[in-house]
Amino acid sequence: MSLLRKQHSVLPGFGLSLGFTLAYLGLIVLVPLSAAFLKTAGMSWGDFIAAVASPRVMAAYRLSFFASLAAASVNAFFGLIVAWVLVRYAFPGKRILDALVDLPFALPTAVAGIALTAIYAKNGWLGQWLEPQGVKIAFTEIGVFVALTFIGLPFVVRTLQPVLEELQPELEEAAASLGANRWQTIARVLLPELFPALLTGFALSFARALGEYGSVVFISGNMPMRTEIVPLLIITKLEQYDYRGATAIAVVMLTASFGLLLLINLIQKWSRRHHRV
Amino acid sequence: MAVVVTSTLVKPRALAGAPLRATQDPRCVRRLLIGIALGFLAFFLLLPLAAVFGEALRRGLGAYFAAVGDADALASVKLTLIAALISVPANVVFGVAAAWCIAKYSFRGKSLLITLIDLPFAVSPVISGLIYVLVFGAQGWLGPWLIEHNVKIIFAVPGIVLATTFVTFPFVARELIPLMQAQGSEEEYAAITLGANGWQTFWRVTLPNIKWGLLYGVILCNARAMGEFGAVSVVSGHIRGETNTMPLHVEILYNEYNFVGAFAVASLLALLALVTLVLKSIVEWRHARSHAA
């Protein structure tokens, strides 16, 4: 220890704070997480494949993947506009709107779920107008997409806002004085600057959507093969006391999430290097 | 909407016809983009919020207060408060300790440690509950021992507290780590040099410097702790009046078609979310001001 702390040896408390941090991290996070992997390691390869690749599970992967992808894409598009408007323009009620962007972080997911269902169900606020037109949202894949869009909304806005605020106006002025029109400036100067943050926000929104449960279960209708998301499948298996099956699917999801986390870290590292140059 | 100005330059009306600055967009583009942003946010944020309160008050104030005052509803409020009162302070102590060792010292594996602290954010809420079932459940690692000693964790309050602690684990730490790294250690060195001991330095120098960041982390941590649904749902067992937190009680009432009851309890959670957003904005504003000073 004395070697490691030689730079800052004046301040006391290194051993205590690091020891407590590692113990708490281990007990609350690492040991329980490793339980999932160890439980699955005890399964035979055939059992594992049967649990994680049955047609019903594959249908759930497909739905979770594509609904999350669609939700993250919509959030990337509208999030860019919302962030741009909040940073660049002044209008009445801007501060309230800015604070409200975090609502999906603050509102419990179950509350969001029943509220969205009340809006889009057959006799709901919008559903009663949409269903006669043949547009069904609640209890379909579109309902899943709507819920995932709601919970992923803040990620893109909040990752773009600080980058937009730090953009130098000189950059745009230089482009304009060199003869670029506004669209060229946006496409060739602004978007490349914003791209890493946009990608990070997209990936965060996508990752959050993959694991989401509370807001989706009410609006999705939970029909096997059609509107069943992967986290719901884990709950279903648990209720049938199929702990191994539930854990095997959980391990597949954990691997995907950790892969995404790694990817997000790489994007951020790449963008920091890109900015320093 | 009458006065549309950019944040960089306030233009007098007489100059409205003057050429635009390079960083400005034409007025019609500004109006269009503001319109799209407002429409999107109204559709996805305001409408659900209005739906919660609208549905809760559908049968009038009498039915609303009867639903909120119901014994099982009050029991769920109490359990939610207990879970938050244990998990939030635990994560505050952890956050401060983690930020202290990460920001004040250099050691190998630091970036790995920071990544591991963020790990719970990457885990689906359902899986956050499942892993505690695998450790403490009847079929789990410690299950037989716990049954032998008559200790209930899963389908009881301790399981709910553990799952809540897991999902709120990174909130305080991830606010404090960058803040304390940016602040550096000069003031702490000065305090130590002048004869203060470690605790005095922490209470009198570090804590006043990080108080807004700490409060910010606590507000976010608390909102998630009180609102968590998926993780708690797996470990709770859904026993009315005993192991139901507020979000779980909302689900039970909703599935029983007691919509007024479900939305009444949900409206309390929505109010909590709005209070959280207000407090968060105040703290952000105070923090920005103390930095500008």
Side-chain angles (χ1 to χ4, degrees):
Chain A
M1 280 299 162
S2 60
L3 248 180
L4 294 175
R5 50 191 278 201
K6 76 176 174 219
Q7 284 171 289
H8 297 295
S9 54
V10 186
L11 288 184
F14 177 68
L16 179 68
S17 60
L18 185 66
F20 179 77
T21 301
L22 292 178
Y24 189 78
L25 177 74
L27 284 175
I28 299 287
V29 179
L30 299 181
V31 170
L33 269 179
S34 67
F37 288 93
L38 287 173
K39 176 108 182 164
T40 312
M43 290 173 83
S44 77
W45 184 246
D47 285 350
F48 180 74
I49 291 297
V52 303
S54 73
R56 185 172 167 188
V57 184
M58 293 305 279
Y61 292 144
R62 258 197 306 278
L63 174 66
S64 277
F65 180 82
F66 285 109
S68 303
L69 195 68
S73 308
V74 165
N75 277 327
F77 179 76
F78 285 101
L80 178 60
I81 295 177
V82 171
W84 178 263
V85 163
L86 287 178
V87 173
R88 286 300 180 97
Y89 303 152
F91 54 92
K94 178 168 131 165
R95 285 185 70 169
I96 297 174
L97 212 62
D98 194 6
L100 211 59
V101 166
D102 281 328
L103 182 71
F105 285 159
L107 193 71
T109 52
V111 177
I114 63 169
L116 291 171
T117 313
I119 294 170
Y120 295 106
K122 198 166 66 190
N123 51 1
W125 292 28
L126 293 179
Q128 57 180 319
W129 309 106
L130 291 172
E131 295 234 341
Q133 316 294 319
V135 183
K136 257 180 83 75
I137 292 181
F139 315 127
T140 68
E141 297 87 337
I142 306 173
V144 177
F145 155 77
V146 170
L148 295 181
T149 307
F150 173 83
I151 54 115
L153 193 150
F155 289 100
V156 176
V157 182
R158 291 299 184 231
T159 44
L160 276 175
Q161 256 177 329
V163 182
L164 269 172
E165 272 159 13
E166 278 176 23
L167 273 188
Q168 305 289 326
E170 287 83 358
L171 220 58
E172 287 160 72
E173 281 160 4
S177 72
L178 290 172
N181 67 31
R182 189 70 183 144
W183 282 118
Q184 286 172 321
T185 309
I186 288 171
R188 303 265 186 91
V189 178
L190 288 180
L191 278 182
E193 280 293 310
L194 297 177
F195 186 70
L198 190 62
L199 199 62
T200 305
F202 173 85
L204 286 171
S205 170
F206 180 72
R208 172 73 206 262
L210 276 186
E212 177 58 19
Y213 172 71
S215 60
V216 178
V217 283
F218 296 98
I219 200 172
S220 73
N222 307 327
M223 285 164 283
M225 302 300 295
R226 266 205 65 209
T227 60
E228 199 174 45
I229 53 165
V230 182
L232 177 75
L233 210 55
I234 295 177
I235 297 259
T236 312
K237 298 240 174 203
L238 276 180
E239 281 168 356
Q240 297 161 348
Y241 302 104
D242 180 5
Y243 289 99
R244 284 179 166 235
T247 312
I249 299 172
V251 163
V252 172
M253 277 193 75
L254 282 174
T255 311
S257 316
F258 294 162
L260 268 170
L261 186 71
L262 194 70
L263 192 71
I264 292 166
N265 280 343
L266 286 178
I267 297 172
Q268 278 172 335
K269 215 171 262 177
W270 165 66
S271 82
R272 264 199 297 274
R273 200 170 335 130
H274 168 85
H275 269 273
R276 216 176 296 138
V277 174
Chain B
M1 206 54 70
V3 190
V4 181
V5 291
T6 67
S7 53
T8 48
L9 183 71
V10 183
K11 274 196 168 194
R13 285 220 112 156
L15 280 179
L20 291 166
R21 279 172 53 116
T23 49
Q24 274 182 323
D25 300 315
R27 172 176 292 207
C28 59
V29 174
R30 286 200 304 250
R31 291 218 166 142
L32 178 72
L33 290 181
I34 290 175
I36 293 174
L38 285 177
F40 180 71
L41 295 182
F43 195 69
F44 273 101
L45 297 182
L46 291 180
L47 193 62
L49 203 55
V52 174
F53 292 104
E55 294 291 321
L57 295 169
R58 181 169 273 229
R59 304 240 183 285
L61 278 174
Y64 176 80
F65 285 113
V68 169
D70 174 72
D72 286 341
L74 291 178
S76 76
V77 173
K78 194 174 143 203
L79 182 57
T80 294
L81 291 176
I82 291 172
L85 274 176
I86 299 173
S87 61
V88 174
N91 284 334
V92 165
V93 173
F94 161 72
V96 170
W100 181 268
C101 68
I102 287 171
K104 304 289 180 201
Y105 309 94
S106 53
F107 54 92
R108 240 170 302 164
K110 192 195 268 190
S111 57
L112 177 69
L113 181 60
I114 296 174
T115 309
L116 289 177
I117 289 172
D118 267 345
L119 217 51
F121 277 162
V123 176
S124 169
V126 170
I127 298 175
S128 312
L130 169 72
I131 56 178
Y132 286 101
V133 174
L134 293 178
V135 175
F136 297 109
Q139 316 284 323
W141 285 353
L142 302 177
W145 188 89
L146 290 172
I147 291 169
E148 203 176 296
H149 292 80
N150 208 13
V151 181
K152 255 183 106 63
I153 291 185
I154 298 304
F155 305 143
V157 177
I160 292 172
V161 172
L162 279 172
T164 307
T165 307
F166 179 92
V167 294
T168 56
F169 185 87
F171 279 104
V172 178
R174 75 173 339 190
E175 286 307 324
L176 289 185
I177 291 168
L179 180 66
M180 283 170 69
Q181 277 178 329
Q183 282 175 349
S185 308
E186 279 77 12
E187 292 184 32
E188 279 84 358
Y189 293 149
I192 297 282
T193 314
L194 292 171
N197 67 32
W199 288 112
Q200 285 171 324
T201 308
F202 174 74
W203 287 107
R204 306 255 182 98
V205 177
T206 310
L207 199 60
N209 276 337
I210 61 169
K211 62 176 185 240
W212 293 117
L214 184 63
L215 193 59
Y216 192 81
V218 167
I219 291 167
L220 296 183
C221 185
N222 179 63
R224 180 73 194 266
M226 291 190 169
E228 178 52 30
F229 176 69
V232 173
S233 169
V234 173
V235 295
S236 118
H238 304 94
I239 307 162
R240 277 182 97 115
E242 277 182 47
T243 61
N244 260 351
T245 61
M246 287 169 79
L248 297 176
H249 195 57
V250 168
E251 183 196 23
I252 287 199
L253 293 173
Y254 190 85
N255 288 341
E256 288 170 350
Y257 301 103
N258 180 355
F259 294 132
V260 169
F263 279 101
V265 179
S267 74
L268 297 181
L269 289 167
L271 278 178
L272 171 77
L274 290 177
V275 170
T276 300
L277 292 184
V278 170
L279 288 177
K280 188 173 155 298
S281 301
I282 294 174
V283 171
E284 274 167 353
W285 180 64
R286 290 296 302 262
H287 184 64
R289 221 176 50 160
S290 71
H291 262 248

